[in-house]
C-alpha cells in the first residue's frame, strides 16, 4: 500500500521559533511532493511543493528539505507566527499518475503568541 | 476556493436515510475527487472522476456511490447513512499538467449521522 508517513501528529511552537514537520515514504516512483495547509473550517490549500531532483526549496518563511536517499522530506517554518497555526499535510504523487495524490495524516500546528 | 462550491455545507441526518452531497466547479477541470477527513486519519479518498460518466474507487469507497453527468458537477451519495459516515467531506478538482497534479479543495460539508 502506497503510504506517506507524517510526524508529529501535533506540534506546539513558540512565536518566532522554527516549526519542523517530517514525512517519509517507501515508493521510489513518487516524483512530486506537495505540502498543503488547512485552516479551521476551510479546505486544504497548496503551500509549497518540491521535486526529488532538488534538495531544498524555499518560499518566504517556508522551506522543504528533501533527502532522496533516505526517502524523507520535511517542512520547516522559520520565525513561526500565530497565523501559521493550522493543519499541514504532506503528500506525494507517482510519476505519470497526475490523477492521484497520496496524503499524510496531517500535523496540527499551534504557535503560541 | 478555486471556483468550487459544495452543498449543503452542513447536514444532520438519521441512520438509514439517503444523503447526496453536491460539488460544483467553474474551472472546467477534468478530474474531480471526494475525500473524507477524520481526526487521526487525515484525508482519505472515497471516489474520483476522470471525466463525464467515468469514475473510480478510492481507498474508502464502501457505502458510497458517485455520479458525474456533467463536467461541472460531481455527486456523492450515501445510500443508507451510518454513524461511521459522520465526517467532513471535501470535494477537490485537479489542475493537471506539468506533472504537478495540484488539487484545489472546496470548503467542505460537515455531515452528522445520528
Amino acid at each position: 500500500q502506497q503510504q506517506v508517513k507524517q510526524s508529529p501528529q501535533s506540534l506546539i511552537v513558540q512565536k518566532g521559533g522554527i516549526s519542523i514537520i517530517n514525512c517519509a515514504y517507501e515508493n521510489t516512483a513518487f516524483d512530486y511532493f506537495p505540502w498543503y495547509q488547512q485552516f479551521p473550517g476551510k479546505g486544504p490549500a497548496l503551500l509549497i511543493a518540491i521535486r526529488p531532483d532538488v534538495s531544498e526549496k524555499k518560499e518566504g518563511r517556508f522551506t522543504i528539505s528533501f533527502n532522496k536517499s533516505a526517502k524523507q522530506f520535511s517542512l520547516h517554518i522559520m520565525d513561526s507566527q500565530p497565523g501559521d497555526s493550522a493543519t499541514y499535510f504532506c503528500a506525494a504523487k507517482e510519476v505519470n499518475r497526475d490523477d492521484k495524490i497520496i496524503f499524510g495524516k496531517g500535523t496540527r500546528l499551534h504557535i503560541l503568541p | 476556493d478555486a471556483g468550487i462550491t459544495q452543498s449543503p455545507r452542513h447536514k444532520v441526518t438519521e441512520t438509514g436515510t439517503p444523503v447526496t452531497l453536491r460539488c460544483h466547479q467553474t474551472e472546467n477541470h477534468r478530474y474531480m475527487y471526494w475525500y473524507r477527513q477524520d481526526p487521526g486519519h487525515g484525508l482519505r479518498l472515497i471516489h474520483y472522476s476522470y471525466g463525464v460518466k467515468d469514475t473510480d474507487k478510492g481507498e474508502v469507497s464502501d457505502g458510497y456511490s458517485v455520479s458525474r453527468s456533467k463536467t461541472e458537477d460531481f455527486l456523492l451519495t450515501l445510500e443508507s447513512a451510518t454513524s461511521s459516515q459522520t465526517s467532513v467531506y471535501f470535494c477537490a478538482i485537479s489542475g493537471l499538467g506539468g506533472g504537478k497534479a495540484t488539487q484545489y479543495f472546496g470548503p467542505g460539508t460537515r455531515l452528522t449521522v445520528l
Side-chain angles (χ1 to χ4, degrees):
Chain A
Q1 181 72 19
Q2 299 172 0
Q3 276 190 337
V4 178
K5 295 183 179 180
Q6 184 171 347
S7 63
Q9 197 169 22
S10 62
L11 181 62
I12 299 174
V13 175
Q14 291 281 351
K15 178 183 176 182
I18 302 173
S19 303
I20 302 174
I21 303 171
N22 300 298
C23 286
Y25 64 97
E26 290 296 325
N27 187 350
T28 55
F30 287 151
D31 72 336
Y32 178 68
F33 301 88
W35 283 87
Y36 283 75
Q37 179 188 54
Q38 182 183 27
F39 293 108
K42 302 289 187 181
L46 180 66
L47 179 65
I48 187 173
I50 196 169
R51 294 195 181 280
D53 52 347
V54 297
S55 60
E56 185 176 283
K57 183 173 182 180
K58 184 176 180 179
E59 290 185 3
R61 296 183 294 107
F62 298 90
T63 299
I64 301 177
S65 297
F66 190 87
N67 186 329
K68 188 174 182 178
S69 61
K71 290 184 282 188
Q72 296 175 348
F73 58 111
S74 59
L75 176 69
H76 296 239
I77 306 174
M78 312 301 288
D79 186 27
S80 299
Q81 299 296 311
D84 297 330
S85 297
T87 298
Y88 293 82
F89 294 95
C90 63
K93 180 199 78 69
E94 268 192 26
V95 62
N96 297 324
R97 287 303 306 269
D98 287 3
D99 60 326
K100 196 174 287 187
I101 292 178
I102 310 298
F103 286 91
K105 294 188 175 183
T107 296
R108 182 172 289 185
L109 174 66
H110 182 65
I111 307 301
L112 297 173
Chain B
D1 291 319
I4 309 169
T5 56
Q6 293 184 230
S7 59
R9 294 293 313 279
H10 302 271
K11 186 170 182 67
V12 180
T13 191
E14 294 188 350
T15 298
T17 59
V19 176
T20 295
L21 308 182
R22 179 178 183 246
C23 177
H24 178 79
Q25 61 147 330
T26 59
E27 307 297 321
N28 200 36
H29 283 321
R30 178 182 173 191
Y31 286 82
M32 299 184 74
Y33 308 80
W34 277 108
Y35 291 89
R36 60 178 291 175
Q37 183 175 24
D38 305 286
H41 292 277
L43 292 160
R44 293 184 290 176
L45 182 65
I46 305 171
H47 282 280
Y48 71 105
S49 169
Y50 46 96
V52 173
K53 297 186 180 180
D54 291 323
T55 64
D56 204 352
K57 295 179 180 180
E59 63 176 300
V60 290
S61 59
D62 288 348
Y64 302 94
S65 62
V66 290
S67 66
R68 190 167 178 201
S69 59
K70 297 186 291 184
T71 299
E72 58 266 34
D73 290 326
F74 192 31
L75 303 180
L76 177 70
T77 298
L78 291 66
E79 301 290 347
S80 178
T82 67
S83 59
S84 64
Q85 294 176 311
T86 292
S87 185
V88 180
Y89 291 85
F90 287 99
C91 174
I93 63 176
S94 184
L96 299 183
K100 292 184 178 180
T102 300
Q103 291 193 7
Y104 301 93
F105 286 81
T109 294
R110 182 173 295 276
L111 175 67
T112 302
V113 183
L114 301 176

